[in-house]
Amino acid sequence: MTAVTPATSYRAGFLPDIASTREYFGAWAKLSVLQYFVAESAVIAAWAGPEPYHRRSGYISDLGAIHCGIHEGRDVCSPLHAVMNASFVVQGLGMLVGALLLSSALLCVAARPGVRLAFGPGHRVPWFTALGAKVLTFTAGTGTIIVGLVPEDAGWFGVHLTGALMYFIGGALALLLLGVLWLRQSPLGWFILACGAVSFGALVTGGATRMAVPEPGTLERFMGYPVTIGLATVGLVIAQRVQQELKARKARAAAQATSTF
């Protein structure tokens, strides 16, 4: 029998336990962030301000404002503010659960079947990249929970703003890392990388201009929408991969059971 040296094992790599209920729930937790778009549309439809709400000009946080009146020079009135704030919290929880349940090993190989994970000297970069993406996703999720629990007009605007920045910055950087991680595995790596780049670019533009642009709502949505779409895409890819592995495992088990008779 030929001994397997450490160098050989690093080159050969291994496949993490992909067919796991934990990973499946983590993937669906990421997918759940899409509920935000449904909630936002419903809250916008119920807007009761003196002027109609437009996504191009209206700030997202105005939809969660709990009082009708002037806030930061804008006349806001959102009767379904509780729905919007609950959506922020649910979105954040989905990101937190996804970050906690999805393993770094799975994130390294989920984009393409057959990819094996090496670990050892010279092979640690994917692990640290995946771990960084998990930490940043957790940070972003915490941020959007803060946004939902502390609306812009609740008296702690600094806390609200901090939560929003945690979401935008953490989400954009998480997607950039995941995009780089998946570039050689799937064309979707480019899409996820693009989502992160658009979000981060809009964030830099917003910071440089202090949001003093003709369409601040558009700019803010270029910060936030790509994060939601990108993370949901990650969740979809992982959910499909886990489901494929679960079916393959059942097929192998059935084949083994048949062969014993």
Side-chain angles (χ1 to χ4, degrees):
M1 181 179 295
T2 303
V4 178
T5 65
T8 301
S9 65
Y10 295 151
R11 287 194 298 269
F14 72 96
L15 287 172
D17 183 16
I18 296 172
S20 164
T21 302
R22 165 187 162 177
E23 309 284 11
Y24 197 54
F25 280 130
W28 276 99
K30 281 188 179 291
L31 262 173
S32 71
V33 300
L34 290 176
Q35 56 78 29
Y36 165 83
F37 293 114
V38 177
E40 185 191 51
S41 296
V43 175
I44 290 175
W47 182 260
E51 298 293 334
Y53 183 94
H54 296 290
R55 286 184 173 88
R56 288 163 46 176
S57 57
Y59 286 91
I60 296 173
S61 291
D62 288 349
L63 298 173
I66 57 180
H67 302 108
C68 290
I70 304 298
H71 178 76
E72 299 288 323
R74 304 184 301 276
D75 203 341
V76 303
C77 189
S78 182
L80 293 185
H81 58 84
V83 174
M84 193 73 258
N85 291 323
S87 176
F88 289 140
V89 173
V90 171
Q91 184 184 35
L93 289 174
M95 296 167 72
L96 292 185
V97 172
L100 290 173
L101 294 185
L102 295 175
S103 66
S104 298
L106 176 68
L107 291 178
C108 288
V109 302
R112 189 177 71 189
V115 175
R116 303 182 74 83
L117 184 62
F119 187 63
H123 294 281
R124 293 192 176 94
V125 172
W127 287 81
F128 288 124
T129 302
L131 179 60
K134 281 166 58 73
V135 172
L136 288 165
T137 301
F138 191 93
T139 300
T142 302
T144 194
I145 289 175
I146 292 173
V147 168
L149 295 179
V150 186
E152 65 178 9
D153 60 344
W156 297 287
F157 183 69
V159 176
H160 178 88
L161 180 61
T162 299
L165 290 175
M166 289 170 63
Y167 171 70
F168 292 138
I169 297 173
L173 294 179
L175 290 177
L176 289 173
L177 290 181
L178 286 170
V180 169
L181 195 62
W182 287 8
L183 274 183
R184 296 183 179 180
Q185 297 183 35
S186 168
L188 281 175
W190 288 104
F191 176 74
I192 293 168
L193 187 63
C195 285
V198 169
S199 177
F200 190 76
L203 180 64
V204 171
T205 301
T209 62
R210 295 183 179 273
M211 298 301 290
V213 294
E215 295 185 1
T218 298
L219 181 58
E220 189 178 28
R221 282 168 172 81
F222 270 118
M223 297 179 200
Y225 281 10
V227 173
T228 302
I229 294 170
L231 289 177
T233 301
V234 171
L236 178 62
V237 170
I238 294 174
Q240 290 178 333
R241 179 73 194 283
V242 173
Q243 191 172 37
Q244 291 171 356
E245 292 296 328
L246 286 170
K247 288 181 179 179
R249 176 177 290 184
K250 290 180 180 179
R252 289 193 296 270
Q256 290 177 353
T258 302
S259 65
T260 57
F261 291 101

